[in-house]
């Protein structure tokens, strides 16, 4: 039986300043010269402090550089050909171009006990490289043992590669060359077919499987492989299709597990026409470390009603603006669909369980949508 847990997370007067009393010093019986010296003393002190001019700029203290925290991830490269470049990535980003054999250090820093994954973003001309132990656990020291080795392609063969743009992250696209050598691409960037192509042979790249909610097309798709250089000119561009308002059962991509239990957020949507939906949302905790990707009944959970009044599509994103009504009142929300993802904005956090934010443009929606997808807090359609 599901175990439901609900967590509701939980603000100095300024001091008044009493007027100061000016005390008149007692008249001194000193000689006039002594009194003149005492009268001039404040002026000397004022000049020494650079004061006296109320319009003088205040002295700005030098900026304080925050201490560097975290640990680096790096290793060594071997076998890289002279004059050739290799591009590495960590966590699928932060490109690092390596132009010589030897040690390297990625630019990103990691907190202790985090996981770092080093991958090849672009192979050198006429070579293929691989990463030994690409997945590294960052303990309480810099990681220095990532090993990257490169080797030349077999004689008479060249790399076949290109660039994908517009693909929704983790929304797989499958490409083919000459109706074979299937290659799954999951993010924008350069891709390489697994099999090198013989010099003088022809190539023909096509889309074998379109990503969910998108259409991808190929430019510079075919040609003849040269004898002295790799093919790097294939261009794959993915665009979005306008999507309907969501309905049915959804499950969050993120699943938390530990202490022999797992928890996932679920969402059930019932459409009432094109402009209205009833949504029930809640988390379900189960025994075991496996989160079910299926649907949940969410019986007894409070439902909310959303009245949509605006819809807009840009690229792969379709956004639905509306007013959400619940037992606690009404607020403006945006439901955003991008590829296979459904993101409810503004997204909840531990510090803000019921956030309020305005989204005047689809660009502002897309920024938060992309951040939510990267954080794995959006929903995916349940398989049943």
């Amino acid at each position: 039986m599901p175990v439901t847990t609900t967590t509701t997370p939980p603000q100095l007067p300024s001091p008044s300043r009493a007027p100061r009393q000016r005390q008149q010093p007692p008249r001194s019986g000193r000689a006039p010269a002594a009194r003149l010296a005492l009268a001039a003393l404040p002026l000397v002190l004022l000049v020494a402090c650079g004061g006296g001019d109320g319009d003088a700029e205040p002295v700005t203290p030098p900026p304080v550089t925050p201490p560097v925290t975290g640990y680096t991830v790096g290793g060594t490269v071997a076998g890289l050909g002279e004059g050739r470049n290799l591009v590495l990535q960590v966590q699928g980003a932060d490109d690092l171009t390596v132009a010589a054999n030897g040690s390297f250090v990625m630019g990103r820093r990691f907190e202790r006990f985090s996981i770092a994954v080093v991958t090849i973003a672009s192979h050198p001309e006429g070579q293929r490289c691989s990463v030994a132990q690409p997945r590294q656990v960052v303990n309480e020291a810099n990681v220095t043992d990532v090993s990257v080795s490169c080797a030349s392609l077999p004689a008479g063969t060249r790399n076949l590669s290109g660039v994908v743009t517009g693909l929704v992250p983790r929304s797989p696209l499958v490409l083919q060359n000459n109706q074979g050598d299937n290659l799954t691409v999951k993010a924008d960037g350069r891709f390489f077919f697994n099999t090198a192509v013989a010099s003088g042979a022809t190539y023909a790249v096509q889309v074998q499987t379109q990503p969910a909610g998108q259409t991808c097309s190929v430019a510079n798709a075919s040609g003849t492989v040269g004898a002295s250089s790799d093919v790097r000119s294939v261009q794959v561009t993915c665009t979005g299709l306008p999507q309907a308002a969501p309905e049915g059962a959804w499950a969050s991509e993120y699943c938390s597990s530990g202490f022999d239990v797992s928890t996932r957020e679920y969402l059930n949507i019932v459409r009432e026409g094109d402009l209205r939906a009833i949504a029930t949302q809640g988390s379900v905790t189960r025994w075991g470390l496996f989160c079910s990707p299926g649907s949940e009944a969410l019986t007894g959970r409070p439902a909310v009603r959303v009245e949509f009044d605006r819809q807009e599509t840009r690229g792969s994103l379709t956004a639905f603006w509306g007013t959400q009504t619940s037992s606690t009142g009404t607020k403006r929300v945006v439901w955003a669909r991008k590829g296979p993802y459904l993101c409810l904005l503004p997204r909840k956090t531990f510090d803000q369980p019921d956030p309020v934010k305005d989204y005047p443009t689809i660009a502002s929606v897309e920024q938060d949508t992309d951040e939510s997808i990267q954080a794995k807090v959006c929903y995916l359609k349940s398989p049943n």
Side-chain angles (χ1 to χ4, degrees):
M1 170 178 284
V3 179
T4 303
T5 58
T6 303
T7 303
T8 304
Q11 301 181 359
L12 293 161
S14 59
S16 59
R17 179 175 294 179
R20 295 183 178 178
Q21 300 294 327
R22 293 177 59 90
Q23 295 183 355
Q24 296 294 333
R27 292 188 176 270
S28 172
R30 294 185 178 90
R35 290 199 299 269
L36 287 174
L38 289 173
L41 181 59
L43 294 176
V44 174
L45 294 176
L46 191 61
V47 171
C49 293
D53 186 357
D55 296 330
E57 295 184 0
V59 177
T60 303
V64 178
T65 303
V68 177
T69 61
Y71 303 96
T72 60
V73 172
T76 56
V77 173
L80 180 62
E82 184 177 355
R84 301 176 185 180
N85 292 329
L86 159 71
V87 181
L88 301 175
Q89 288 185 335
V90 62
Q91 314 304 73
D94 299 331
D95 288 11
L96 175 68
T97 300
V98 180
N101 292 313
S103 62
F104 70 90
V105 178
M106 305 302 296
R108 181 183 297 194
R109 303 184 75 90
F110 292 82
E111 298 300 322
R112 62 176 183 168
F113 308 134
S114 56
I115 303 295
V117 181
V118 178
T119 55
I120 307 292
S122 182
H123 295 279
E125 182 81 15
Q127 291 189 295
R128 285 292 173 97
C129 303
S130 60
V131 182
Q133 298 179 332
R135 185 181 177 90
Q136 295 282 334
V137 178
V138 181
N139 293 313
E140 297 181 281
N142 295 332
V143 175
T144 60
D145 57 354
V146 179
S147 178
V148 181
S149 58
C150 300
S152 297
L153 294 172
T157 63
R158 309 301 303 186
N159 282 313
L160 174 58
S161 76
V163 174
V164 172
T165 58
L167 181 64
V168 175
R170 300 190 296 278
S171 179
L173 157 72
V174 181
L175 300 174
Q176 287 185 327
N177 175 39
N178 292 330
Q179 299 184 340
D181 196 16
N182 287 13
L183 175 68
T184 300
V185 182
K186 297 183 179 181
D188 283 354
R190 181 160 293 279
F191 64 87
F192 287 77
F193 278 95
N194 297 315
T195 304
V197 184
S199 299
T202 60
Y203 63 90
V205 178
Q206 65 183 21
V207 176
Q208 197 270 339
T209 303
Q210 296 283 4
Q214 292 189 280
T215 297
C216 301
S217 58
V218 185
N220 305 324
S222 59
T224 301
V225 180
S228 59
S229 60
D230 293 344
V231 176
R232 305 174 70 89
S233 58
V234 180
Q235 298 284 335
V236 181
T237 303
C238 300
T239 58
L241 300 173
Q243 301 194 63
E247 61 182 332
W250 299 75
S252 66
E253 184 179 16
Y254 177 73
C255 166
S256 63
S257 59
F259 301 104
D260 296 326
V261 297
S262 58
T263 303
R264 189 189 289 274
E265 190 89 6
Y266 295 90
L267 177 67
N268 294 336
I269 303 172
V270 178
R271 289 266 302 277
E272 295 183 341
D274 293 335
L275 302 177
R276 182 182 299 169
I278 304 296
T280 307
Q281 181 182 17
S283 60
V284 174
T285 299
R286 293 185 177 278
W287 292 109
L289 299 179
F290 174 74
C291 282
S292 169
S295 60
E296 292 287 345
L298 301 180
T299 304
R301 307 298 177 89
V304 299
R305 180 186 301 272
V306 181
E307 300 274 354
F308 300 110
D309 50 45
R310 176 184 171 190
Q311 176 179 338
E312 191 173 340
T313 296
R314 186 178 83 164
S316 304
L317 173 69
T318 300
F320 304 86
W321 285 259
T323 300
Q324 174 180 295
T325 303
S326 66
S327 59
T328 60
T330 63
K331 71 174 184 176
R332 294 292 292 172
V333 296
V334 177
W335 289 9
R337 297 193 67 175
K338 191 167 187 179
Y341 297 98
L342 168 61
C343 306
L344 306 188
L345 304 178
R347 68 184 176 102
K348 297 186 296 183
T349 64
F350 180 80
D351 296 327
Q352 291 184 307
D354 191 25
V356 176
K357 184 175 180 178
D358 184 37
Y359 294 94
T361 65
I362 194 168
S364 60
V365 173
E366 187 157 31
Q367 178 179 345
D368 276 17
T369 299
D370 290 344
E371 291 177 359
S372 297
I373 291 173
Q374 291 297 328
K376 296 186 177 183
V377 295
C378 295
Y379 295 84
L380 294 168
K381 198 74 163 61
S382 295
N384 54 353

